[in-house]
């Protein structure tokens, strides 16, 4: 039996919903429902009740937490990471500081291929150990759900190894985890001149094998200039669809690649990055079920142009923010920083940023029915902040950890 928890005297309870929505779009992103001077009751790992302190029911919980001066948020949902990786890449980063671009480093066999070489020499146990450390780190910053991709294997054996590691993490971590197969992350060295053959390998060998072991929830392709073409992407997503794998793809980070359109064609759950998004891409996304997902950590770290988030929201689109936690282009999974970057880089208001990192992030990993807001019956993944003056303080006061207590599945995490 899990403890019954009453959190009382909450200065402000953030992102409450009476009628839960799966996502918020356009102008609605600027709205955020909150309750000042609130209580929250957690039972059996779920949100059982909430409201104004003056209406707190007569109730005998196992544990009472006094949150005076503090706020309660639903945990962040980080819908795009590559946090299973064999080693950091700070040495290669020096080349970046000295002026080489992400693409130039990739062309030299660095970047993703560098991680793939190391992946081959790293055991499942080592990968689990280092990933668990990263998971604990992101929990401490307020994440309650995370998507993790493969994509540093780039051969059948190592891609399956990565996916098995993610499956194991689902069992041992209190986080809600979704896994995505990203065999099409880069063209491996030995297939440099045989890109089509590598795509064939993904379609004919990797996808059937991972499907047989039920190792992935979603399928991804890095559809961009110098990586996989729209044609490659079309073939891979079509093959994935036959096994029920919904796409979540990397698109339009380096160019107007057509990635957004092919993602929408296959009813992708999300298309991610989106630095190169124009009118045509926005029109493709309108009237689709696809969540445009922006990764400010990568754009910031690589010094890229920023995705036109304001235009997207003004056109009526929803937007999610995710960390892209990976060793090459975004070595941080801190969603509080991502929330701040939403305001700093994209001029999102605090309300828009909170919607983008909670409910819309949840939608982008298809967990918005159980996470992403404070609503009766949802999983009790929430965090209590330190004493803060307002929720607007969260994006504003960037760079420090404002989370004090984390509750996952209704249990206090420490
Ligand atoms: O999302 N864009 C492609 N893939 C990753 C980078 C992974 C890496 O460099 O290791 C990204 O930024
Ligand atoms: Fe990524």
């Amino acid at each position: 039996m899990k403890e019954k928890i009453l959190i009382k005297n909450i200065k402000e309870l953030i992102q409450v919903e009476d009628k839960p929505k799966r996502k918020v779009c356009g102008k609605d992103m600027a709205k955020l429902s909150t309750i000042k001077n609130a209580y929250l009751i957690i039972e059996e790992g779920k949100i059982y009740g909430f409201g104004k302190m003056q209406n707190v029911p007569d109730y005998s919980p196992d544990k009472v937490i006094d949150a005076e001066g503090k706020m309660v948020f639903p945990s962040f949902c980080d819908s795009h990471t590559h946090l299973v990786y064999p080693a950091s890449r700070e040495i290669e980063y020096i080349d970046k500081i000295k002026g080489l671009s992400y693409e130039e480093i990739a062309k030299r066999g660095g970047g993703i291929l560098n991680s793939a070489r190391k992946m081959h020499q790293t055991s499942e146990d080592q990968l689990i150990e280092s990933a668990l450390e990263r998971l604990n780190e992101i929990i401490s910053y307020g994440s309650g759900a995370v998507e993790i991709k493969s994509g540093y294997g780039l051969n059948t054996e190592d891609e399956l190894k990565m996916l098995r590691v993610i499956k194991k993490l689902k069992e041992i971590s209190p986080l809600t985890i979704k896994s995505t197969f990203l065999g099409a992350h880069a063209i491996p060295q030995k297939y440099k001149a045989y890109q089509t053959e590598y795509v064939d390998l993904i379609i004919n060998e990797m996808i059937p094998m991972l499907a047989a072991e039920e190792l992935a929830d979603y399928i991804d392709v890095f559809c961009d200039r110098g990586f996989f073409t729209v044609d490659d992407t079309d073939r891979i997503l079509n093959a994935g669809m036959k096994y029920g794998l919904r796409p979540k793809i990397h698109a339009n980070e380096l160019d107007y690649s057509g990635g957004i359109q092919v993602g929408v064609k296959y009813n992708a759950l999300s298309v991610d990055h989106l630095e190169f998004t124009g009118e045509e891409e926005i029109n493709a996304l309108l009237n689709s079920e696809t969540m445009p997902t922006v990764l400010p950590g990568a754009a910031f770290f690589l010094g890229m142009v920023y995705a036109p988030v304001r235009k997207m929201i003004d056109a009526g689109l929803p937007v999610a923010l995710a960390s892209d936690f990976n060793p090459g282009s975004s070595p941080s999974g801190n969603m509080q920083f991502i929330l701040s970057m939403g305001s700093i880089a994209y001029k999102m208001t605090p309300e828009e940023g909170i919607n983008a990192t909670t409910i819309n992030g949840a939608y982008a990993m298809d967990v918005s029915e159980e996470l992403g807001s404070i609503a009766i019956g949802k999983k009790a993944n929430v965090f209590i902040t330190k004493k803060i003056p307002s929720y607007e303080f969260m994006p504003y006061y960037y760079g420090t950890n404002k989370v004090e207590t984390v509750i996952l599945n209704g249990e206090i995490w420490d």
Side-chain angles (χ1 to χ4, degrees):
M1 276 288 271
K2 288 189 179 172
E3 278 189 322
K4 296 179 184 173
I5 302 175
L6 167 66
I7 311 176
K8 65 174 191 180
N9 297 328
I10 302 167
K11 178 171 171 153
E12 196 161 353
L13 181 60
I14 308 299
Q15 184 71 303
V16 294
E17 286 189 307
D18 288 329
K19 286 201 198 90
K21 298 176 287 295
R22 291 179 63 224
K23 59 179 174 183
V24 285
C25 307
K27 281 193 177 61
D28 286 342
M29 285 196 68
K31 296 182 198 151
L32 185 70
S33 285
T34 71
I35 302 176
K36 291 195 167 129
N37 196 19
Y39 73 89
L40 175 69
I41 295 174
I42 294 168
E43 264 193 43
E44 286 298 310
K46 300 241 155 63
I47 293 171
Y48 184 77
F50 60 86
K52 280 218 160 277
M53 241 351 249
Q54 69 223 41
N55 301 327
V56 67
D58 193 11
Y59 183 72
S60 49
D62 303 307
K63 187 171 185 69
V64 178
I65 302 173
D66 191 340
E68 209 191 312
K70 303 169 185 176
M71 302 204 177
V72 174
F73 281 69
S75 296
F76 295 121
C77 296
D78 188 354
S79 64
H80 181 138
T81 82
H82 309 248
L83 68 71
V84 170
Y85 59 81
S88 56
R89 303 211 305 257
E90 67 280 9
I91 302 306
E92 172 183 287
Y93 173 59
I94 296 166
D95 289 333
K96 214 168 283 169
I97 296 172
K98 290 185 177 160
L100 281 194
S101 73
Y102 185 77
E103 284 169 286
E104 283 161 342
I105 291 173
K107 280 214 183 88
R108 287 176 161 197
I112 297 165
L113 296 184
N114 178 359
S115 287
R117 275 191 299 277
K118 293 199 178 104
M119 178 58 70
H120 192 61
Q121 299 145 8
T122 309
S123 72
E124 275 187 36
D125 285 347
Q126 288 168 319
L127 291 168
I128 289 169
E129 194 185 317
S130 62
L132 266 181
E133 265 175 47
R134 290 174 207 126
L135 289 179
N136 287 338
E137 187 176 275
I138 66 169
I139 291 172
S140 74
Y141 289 122
S143 288
V146 65
E147 179 257 19
I148 312 174
K149 300 173 192 296
S150 70
Y152 293 127
L154 308 183
N155 61 56
T156 306
E157 178 193 336
D158 292 331
E159 281 297 312
L160 291 179
K161 174 167 77 179
M162 284 192 77
L163 291 169
R164 289 193 194 106
V165 165
I166 303 171
K167 190 172 184 177
K168 189 84 194 161
L169 294 171
K170 287 184 182 183
E171 287 160 21
I172 56 185
S173 168
L175 284 164
T176 296
I177 297 177
K178 292 285 181 187
S179 91
T180 300
F181 167 61
L182 176 53
H185 197 189
I187 324 296
Q189 208 86 56
K190 73 173 199 193
Y191 283 94
K192 269 281 165 265
Y194 309 96
Q195 180 150 336
T196 307
E197 283 76 359
Y198 183 60
V199 173
D200 292 341
L201 181 77
I202 291 174
I203 292 172
N204 299 326
E205 192 172 287
M206 294 188 199
I207 294 176
M209 284 181 78
L210 68 91
E213 277 186 61
E214 296 188 20
L215 288 175
D217 300 300
Y218 309 119
I219 187 164
D220 193 348
V221 175
F222 188 6
C223 180
D224 230 318
R225 188 181 67 204
F227 289 83
F228 292 87
T229 65
V230 168
D231 241 29
D232 297 332
T233 309
D234 197 295
R235 290 183 60 213
I236 294 169
L237 298 189
N238 196 19
M241 195 174 68
K242 295 188 180 130
Y243 291 90
L245 295 169
R246 205 163 160 198
K248 278 175 66 59
I249 71 168
H250 285 74
N252 298 49
E253 177 183 8
L254 307 171
D255 206 349
Y256 294 95
S257 61
I260 293 176
Q261 289 88 332
V262 69
V264 168
K265 175 178 168 193
Y266 283 95
N267 190 28
L269 193 48
S270 71
V271 287
D272 303 19
H273 276 294
L274 315 186
E275 280 74 9
F276 291 86
T277 301
E279 210 111 306
E280 211 179 298
E281 286 76 14
I282 289 178
N283 284 333
L285 285 163
L286 285 166
N287 303 316
S288 81
E289 290 292 306
T290 301
M291 177 61 69
T293 299
V294 169
L295 311 170
F300 168 67
F301 190 77
L302 298 179
M304 317 249 303
V305 293
Y306 288 116
V309 168
R310 275 265 59 90
K311 264 199 197 136
M312 289 156 65
I313 295 177
D314 292 346
L317 288 175
V319 169
L321 288 167
S323 75
D324 198 16
F325 193 0
N326 77 73
S329 67
S330 189
S332 168
N334 179 348
M335 285 296 281
Q336 291 176 61
F337 172 66
I338 295 302
L339 172 62
S340 294
M341 284 303 294
S343 300
I344 297 166
Y346 305 111
K347 309 292 176 223
M348 296 171 88
T349 64
E351 294 79 9
E352 289 172 335
I354 291 168
N355 278 313
T357 49
T358 58
I359 192 69
N360 282 358
Y363 180 94
M365 51 192 293
D366 205 14
V367 295
S368 64
E369 276 165 28
E370 54 168 337
L371 289 160
S373 68
I374 305 289
I376 305 283
K378 280 200 176 182
K379 207 185 258 192
N381 284 13
V382 305
F383 63 80
I384 307 173
T385 65
K386 296 176 178 164
K387 289 192 178 186
I388 57 173
S390 62
Y391 68 72
E392 289 88 344
F393 189 78
M394 288 296 274
Y396 156 82
Y397 200 70
Y398 80 101
T400 60
N401 193 356
K402 280 89 60 190
V403 170
E404 186 171 83
T405 307
V406 171
I407 296 177
L408 294 175
N409 310 306
E411 290 179 302
I412 297 170
W413 179 83
D414 50 24

